[in-house]
Amino acid sequence: MPDSLQGTLDLLILKTLQHEANHGFGITLHIQSVSQGLVTVEEGSLYPALHRLERARLVTAKWQTTSNGRRARVYSLSAAGRKRLAEAEESWSALAKGVGRILRFA
């Protein structure tokens, strides 16, 4: 996955976990729901991203039993993850502002 897409997926995951801890499938559903189906995340991209974020200590994970009785790995945003999220949101906003200016100019 190109670095820019990887960074975008990381941002989406961190932003999702900012609101509450969640398991992988719940993260996928949240992203899809909030984007009104415009963004979908496949398992083949999500779980490597979650493991990468865990190794970087941006998220923590623990096994829990879900409300339907299944065991799932539940991910939470760490303090370092909150810091990285703030930096990423600032960077994303600046990029979006710049692209918006270009689109209005052209």
Side-chain angles (χ1 to χ4, degrees):
M1 175 179 293
D3 285 344
S4 60
L5 291 179
Q6 180 176 303
T8 302
L9 177 56
D10 291 357
L11 172 61
L12 296 175
I13 293 168
L14 294 175
K15 187 65 178 179
T16 298
L17 294 175
Q18 180 183 33
H19 301 287
E20 66 180 344
N22 212 334
H23 51 79
F25 185 66
I27 293 168
T28 298
L29 288 178
H30 181 265
I31 292 170
Q32 188 172 355
S33 173
V34 171
S35 72
Q36 297 179 344
L38 294 173
V39 178
T40 58
V41 179
E42 301 295 328
E43 280 185 40
S45 297
L46 178 68
Y47 289 102
L50 285 168
H51 297 150
R52 184 179 60 255
L53 292 169
E54 187 178 9
R55 282 191 308 274
R57 300 178 191 255
L58 300 177
V59 301
T60 59
K62 62 182 175 181
W63 287 100
Q64 291 183 340
T65 303
T66 63
S67 58
N68 64 1
R70 291 185 161 171
R71 284 188 38 84
R73 203 143 158 84
V74 175
Y75 298 88
S76 301
L77 194 60
S78 69
R82 282 189 287 281
K83 182 179 178 192
R84 176 73 58 89
L85 174 60
E87 293 166 354
E89 285 180 310
E90 187 177 311
S91 177
W92 184 262
S93 292
L95 175 63
K97 187 176 184 179
V99 170
R101 286 179 180 168
I102 293 167
L103 293 175
R104 283 189 302 276
F105 179 75

